[in-house]
Amino acid sequence: MENSAIMADQSIQELESRSLARVASAGSPEELEAVRVEALGRKGALAQISKEMGKLAPEERARIGKLLNSAKQKLEEALESKKRHFAEAALRARLDAEWIDLTLPAPGPRRGHLHPITRIQRELEDLFVSLGFTVLDGPEVETEYHNFDALNIPADHPARDAQDTFWLDGGNLLRTHTSPVQVRGMERLGPPLRMIAPGRTFRNESVDASHEHTFYQLEGMMIDRDVSVGHLIYFMKTMLTGVFQREVTVRLRPGFFPFVEPGFELDIQCLICGGAGCPVCKQSGWVEQLGCGLVHPNVLRMSGIDPEEWNGFAFGLGLTRLAMMRYGIDDIRHLQGGDLRFLEQF
Ligand code: PHE
């Protein structure tokens, strides 16, 4: 046997066993690829050997060629099977990571609670229902007639200036108060009538600590025979004691609203500062809580009720302001600000 043929024999066998060992111990697809390039690549070890084969005698060349092919085949098989092993392991790892237990109970929605204004609204609804009042709803987009004219506020009346609002194409408007629901209640139900109407109201206000363009009111009306200011005060006190769960100091001032006569402003002593003065009470110690009075005969007449036979009282309460007083909120903007950190406190 020629010398170079013996050399080729040995180096093929060595290469084969060394490469197979490296394949077996490879820890990653990258290592595997390195073995492949070094052994089987175009410039790899086997390629080098086959280049040398030209120097051999023909019979030796055939034998070494067989050896080479068999080494190449064994290596390729080993590489292929190890590659498959890596792919399977990777797939298994991915499936393990993506595995979810569908039988586990779902985390479920985060538990919320009612907004402070909604809570007071519902309490007042319960209270007034227990006193024989019906809860009515009315549209937030109102007609000019229901928001103003039917409440004894004709187009040229200066009271309209105090309730500037957002007018819509076609002459409708965003209601400035819940009082139009009085009108709708009288039109639909007639006397005797005990109703309240909580809801959202709007004014074209510049926003500050105590003013919002969007706020909540609760309207109330009672029409019967021989209703007096005494009845009105009784219901107002019952309501405020219910809301605050304690005696509150109130004061009644004459107040002008075209739809009542006589008319009053009912203030409560500021529960945030105790009367000393703060931004909510504008340093006065008192907070205007509601307007009220005996229903003006024109208002009754316009809704088809005879003022000779019936009379009544009406009131309109700032629900937003009431919530601020009860919970000690010193800035109206928090209530609609959408910040859950604020709302979660209640
Ligand atoms: N609607 C009046 C307002 O928003 C309040 C009010 C209602 C006054 C009922 C008297 C009677 O200011």
Side-chain angles (χ1 to χ4, degrees):
M1 205 186 272
E2 267 180 74
N3 237 359
S4 52
I6 297 170
M7 298 273 290
D9 255 34
Q10 275 180 353
S11 52
I12 292 171
Q13 266 153 24
E14 263 174 41
L15 184 73
E16 182 185 308
S17 54
R18 196 162 20 96
S19 298
L20 286 175
R22 282 180 68 197
V23 168
S25 69
S28 69
E30 291 74 25
E31 261 180 72
L32 211 55
E33 177 63 6
V35 179
R36 192 193 64 78
V37 171
E38 279 167 43
L40 300 174
R42 264 194 304 128
K43 294 175 183 165
L46 284 178
Q48 293 297 334
I49 294 169
S50 59
K51 254 192 227 160
E52 306 285 314
M53 274 172 49
K55 298 175 189 160
L56 298 177
E59 65 276 18
E60 283 303 312
R61 209 182 297 160
R63 196 178 59 82
I64 298 293
K66 261 189 200 155
L67 267 179
L68 257 180
N69 275 341
S70 124
K72 197 173 158 200
Q73 207 180 332
K74 275 191 203 151
L75 252 176
E76 273 170 353
E77 273 165 20
L79 281 165
E80 195 48 46
S81 111
K82 188 77 186 225
K83 207 165 136 194
R84 224 178 305 120
H85 163 83
F86 280 132
E88 277 163 16
L91 180 64
R92 224 176 304 117
R94 210 184 106 198
L95 290 180
D96 278 350
E98 284 178 359
W99 183 86
I100 50 165
D101 184 353
L102 292 174
T103 66
L104 277 177
R110 226 168 105 196
R111 179 118 183 237
H113 65 73
L114 295 177
H115 190 282
I117 293 178
T118 310
R119 250 160 76 182
I120 296 199
Q121 178 184 325
R122 296 205 180 164
E123 281 174 30
L124 286 176
E125 287 174 4
D126 285 349
L127 181 96
F128 277 102
V129 165
S130 80
L131 296 169
F133 285 67
T134 304
V135 182
L136 295 185
D137 201 6
E140 292 175 354
V141 172
E142 258 300 359
T143 63
E144 186 177 355
Y145 173 79
H146 286 96
N147 196 81
F148 291 125
D149 300 87
L151 291 162
N152 208 25
I153 317 174
D156 56 0
H157 198 289
R160 286 207 179 190
D161 297 342
Q163 298 199 357
D164 187 16
T165 186
F166 306 95
W167 292 84
L168 307 174
D169 291 344
N172 287 342
L173 50 91
L174 296 187
R175 65 180 179 189
T176 58
H177 47 185
T178 41
S179 301
V181 193
Q182 290 181 22
V183 178
R184 293 180 179 276
M186 288 186 287
E187 286 172 351
R188 182 162 308 178
L189 303 170
L193 174 66
R194 292 184 188 195
M195 53 147 282
I196 58 165
R200 196 150 61 145
T201 51
F202 311 86
R203 293 206 192 159
N204 192 357
E205 296 265 12
S206 11
V207 173
D208 62 27
S210 51
H211 295 90
E212 257 285 15
H213 48 71
T214 303
F215 54 101
Y216 288 79
Q217 288 192 336
L218 183 133
E219 193 81 9
M221 180 179 237
M222 173 171 165
I223 310 263
D224 213 309
R225 295 186 165 90
D226 303 319
V227 176
S228 74
V229 172
H231 294 113
L232 168 62
I233 292 173
Y234 166 78
F235 280 105
M236 296 303 96
K237 278 198 165 164
T238 305
M239 169 173 75
L240 291 169
T241 311
V243 171
F244 292 109
Q245 296 291 307
R246 59 171 146 149
E247 283 296 317
V248 290
T249 312
V250 302
R251 74 177 184 188
L252 217 57
R253 290 178 288 126
F256 177 70
F257 303 95
F259 34 99
V260 288
E261 177 59 34
F264 308 101
E265 303 261 16
L266 190 146
D267 302 340
I268 66 166
Q269 196 165 60
C270 184
L271 295 171
I272 290 174
C273 63
C278 71
V280 171
C281 61
K282 295 199 199 98
Q283 311 304 331
S284 74
W286 295 92
V287 177
E288 195 182 306
Q289 206 61 245
L290 58 94
C292 56
L294 297 187
V295 183
H296 197 290
N298 286 351
V299 171
L300 295 172
R301 214 176 283 121
M302 260 185 285
S303 291
I305 296 174
D306 180 4
E308 299 300 325
E309 190 183 351
W310 304 97
N311 75 333
F313 69 73
F315 66 92
L317 163 93
L319 263 186
T320 303
R321 210 161 272 186
L322 198 61
M324 290 172 74
M325 281 288 115
R326 184 160 94 174
Y327 294 111
I329 299 164
D330 65 1
D331 195 316
I332 196 169
R333 290 166 289 198
H334 289 317
L335 283 162
Q336 311 282 342
D339 189 339
L340 285 181
R341 289 172 306 173
F342 167 78
L343 291 172
E344 276 162 358
Q345 300 173 77
F346 302 98

